[in-house]
Amino acid sequence: MDYTEIVNFLKEFNINPTIIMVIFIMCVVTAFFLRFLNSEGPLTGLLFKKKQKPRSHWLQRHADLRHLAKDIQKQQEFRELTGIYIHPHKIEKLIALRDSSNGEFDWPEIKAARSFMDLNTEQPKVRIGVQAKIFDIFIITLFSVGGICFMLLFSILVVIIATEKDVKPSLLAWLPLFFISILFNFILMQSLRRNYRSAKLIKRVLDGR
């Protein structure tokens, strides 16, 4: 059935197709106009509005989102101030721990000892396992041996430079190198032991209260 047959069929029932097309276009334009204006009329609600959930459920979701936003903001502000990233519900425990330090430790020590802390109890606790103690002994032994070796070489070099009349420039160049090695050895050892030393400090303060 082509367009002319449809038109002839409508004319048999005294229906003007032009009027139908105009009415249809007006309905479409009106519908989009109402949608554009975001009308709250019954037609717009029937055509475009989705079925809304109960207001109580919406209020609950809104309250949950506000609570989540506050937690995120609190977490970010605490991280900016202390450098510690932690669950918002455990922030108060770390603040209480810091306030009970009597000035013997602060946020840098707490951050360093974070991996040794148990915050799932009512009061924060520091747990230092056997593996951590063994690793600390290994670090002390390793870097102490290295430090002693560098000190011996540095001392021997100083004696050679002091006793020989004709000192080669290459020997003088080794002198600051050994000194820097000794200093770097000490700094690296303290850096690797920082977490363990901070945990021991906090544990000693907590056990002494």
Side-chain angles (χ1 to χ4, degrees), residues 126-139:
V126 177
R127 306 184 188 277
I128 303 176
V130 178
Q131 294 180 351
K133 295 179 180 179
I134 294 175
F135 180 75
D136 186 67
I137 294 173
F138 172 75
I139 291 296

Side-chain angles (χ1 to χ4, degrees), residues 164-184:
E164 287 190 1
K165 295 182 179 180
D166 188 14
V167 181
K168 295 181 179 180
S170 58
L171 291 177
L172 294 174
W174 279 102
L175 195 62
L177 181 62
F178 279 121
F179 179 77
I180 293 174
S181 300
I182 294 170
L183 184 62
F184 179 76

Side-chain angles (χ1 to χ4, degrees), residues 5-114:
E5 292 179 348
I6 295 174
V7 172
N8 294 329
F9 176 78
L10 293 175
K11 286 182 177 180
E12 291 181 359
F13 292 92
N14 295 324
I15 300 175
N16 191 336
T18 304
I19 296 176
I20 294 178
M21 292 298 296
V22 171
I23 294 175
F24 176 76
I25 293 173
M26 290 179 61
C27 291
V28 172
V29 172
T30 303
F32 277 97
F33 185 72
L34 291 174
R35 179 61 172 172
F36 178 76
L37 293 179
N38 194 23
S39 173
E40 296 296 334
L43 180 60
T44 304
L46 180 63
L47 295 176
F48 302 107
K49 295 290 184 179
K50 295 182 179 179
K51 186 177 180 180
Q52 296 183 351
K53 296 181 179 179
R55 187 170 180 79
S56 59
H57 180 73
W58 180 85
L59 291 175
Q60 181 62 39
R61 289 186 60 186
H62 184 64
D64 292 341
L65 290 176
R66 290 184 59 185
H67 181 70
L68 179 61
K70 289 181 179 179
D71 283 348
I72 294 174
Q73 182 180 4
K74 182 179 180 180
Q75 189 180 49
Q76 291 178 346
E77 290 178 352
F78 185 76
R79 186 178 186 179
E80 291 175 358
L81 293 173
T82 65
I84 302 174
Y85 184 79
I86 194 173
H87 194 279
H89 295 168
K90 297 180 180 180
I91 291 177
E92 300 299 332
K93 291 185 179 181
L94 288 185
I95 294 176
L97 175 64
R98 187 257 185 185
D99 293 340
S100 65
S101 66
N102 297 324
E104 296 192 45
F105 60 85
D106 212 323
W107 293 118
E109 288 76 22
I110 295 176
K111 180 182 178 181
R114 177 67 187 90

